[in-house]
Amino acid sequence: MTEYNDKQLEILKAAEILFASEGFDGTSIRSIAKAAKVNIAMISYYFGSKEKMLEALIIYRTSDMRMQLDIISKEDLTPSEKVDRLIDLYISRINKNKCMYQILHFELSTKKRIMDMKAFTDVKRQNMEAFTKIINEGQEQGIFRKDVNINLIPPTIMGTLVHFQMNRSFFEAHLGINTDEAYENYIENELTIHIKQTIKALLVHEN
């Protein structure tokens, strides 16, 4: 995981808020500097360009996922319990870092940014390896099916949550959710249970 000093973190967090609210193209280095209370030269010194700052932000927000996956894989839990922990981890990270995933979704879907994303690709590959290890454990014990497409499980988890978030106003009206607290509780309970049931249905042998 890349280490950043306090000043770099202040810059990245200011940039994250502005990128999410104003868009990458609508955010200037000057506005980031003002929000972070630093001068423009400092941003140039630390990150070089706005594109490199975006890349650094993505890596900062995603690079510790491997460590958390490794911790889960080594815990004294059944494979099914580990999968539940995995789902809790994915949901909590996406929910906690809404701004980051909003930015990430836009940048990767539009392909507007010309960035060297090898570091980000490496993070995703390492995360997938850790995830696969946990699923393989269940397969070796005969608990999980061997014909499951492991590569599609993380996007199934994340896609369900992201869709729910992107259509928040519809679901709030449809489900009668009136407060932020009620919305967060729905994600932590009903939506999380639904995702766990869906993933278990994909993994576990049919009776």
Side-chain angles (χ1 to χ4, degrees):
M1 179 179 173
T2 303
E3 295 293 335
Y4 296 104
N5 61 40
D6 291 342
K7 189 57 65 177
Q8 287 173 305
L9 290 177
E10 288 177 17
I11 294 170
L12 289 177
K13 291 174 182 178
E16 180 177 32
I17 293 171
L18 289 169
F19 288 158
S21 61
E22 306 297 329
F24 182 87
D25 292 324
T27 301
S28 67
I29 292 291
R30 185 177 299 278
S31 62
I32 295 172
K34 182 179 180 180
K37 298 179 180 179
V38 300
N39 58 52
I40 294 175
M42 184 176 288
I43 292 180
S44 178
Y45 172 75
Y46 281 135
F47 302 105
S49 67
K50 193 167 67 167
E51 286 78 8
K52 288 297 183 182
M53 188 190 308
L54 174 59
E55 183 178 357
L57 174 60
I58 291 172
I59 299 304
Y60 168 65
R61 287 301 192 194
T62 59
S63 61
D64 66 330
M65 183 72 166
R66 172 61 184 270
M67 179 179 67
Q68 295 183 59
L69 287 169
D70 282 341
I71 291 173
I72 293 174
S73 69
K74 294 174 182 177
E75 288 185 317
D76 185 20
L77 300 170
T78 67
S80 292
E81 290 171 334
K82 289 180 181 179
V83 169
D84 281 343
R85 290 288 305 278
L86 284 174
I87 293 171
D88 288 335
L89 175 60
Y90 270 89
I91 291 175
S92 65
R93 284 181 62 88
I94 296 173
N95 220 26
K96 180 180 178 181
N97 299 309
K98 293 185 182 74
C99 288
M100 182 67 260
Y101 281 95
Q102 180 181 335
I103 298 165
L104 190 58
H105 175 75
F106 179 79
E107 293 301 322
L108 295 181
S109 62
T110 59
K111 298 181 180 179
K112 292 181 63 177
R113 225 50 58 204
I114 301 174
M115 294 183 297
D116 175 14
M117 294 299 290
K118 181 180 182 302
F120 179 51
T121 301
D122 287 343
V123 169
K124 292 193 292 183
R125 177 181 53 77
Q126 292 168 1
N127 291 347
M128 181 60 74
E129 289 174 355
F131 192 96
T132 300
K133 180 180 177 182
I134 292 172
I135 302 301
N136 286 161
E137 179 185 347
Q139 291 173 326
E140 291 169 1
Q141 294 181 23
I143 299 172
F144 297 153
R145 296 167 48 179
K146 291 186 178 295
D147 62 345
V148 67
N149 191 332
I150 299 175
N151 294 317
L152 294 182
I153 294 177
T156 299
I157 297 169
M158 298 174 69
T160 301
L161 177 57
V162 170
H163 175 81
F164 187 82
Q165 291 178 332
M166 291 180 66
N167 293 277
R168 175 170 177 167
S169 59
F170 167 77
F171 284 112
E172 284 181 329
H174 182 66
L175 299 170
I177 298 173
N178 301 316
T179 65
D180 289 343
E181 182 180 3
Y183 179 79
E184 296 299 329
N185 284 337
Y186 192 91
I187 290 177
E188 292 177 9
N189 295 287
E190 282 85 351
L191 185 63
T192 298
I193 291 172
H194 168 76
I195 292 174
K196 288 179 178 179
Q197 290 173 335
T198 300
I199 300 305
K200 290 289 182 64
L202 292 172
L203 289 174
V204 179
H205 293 283
E206 295 180 1
N207 293 326

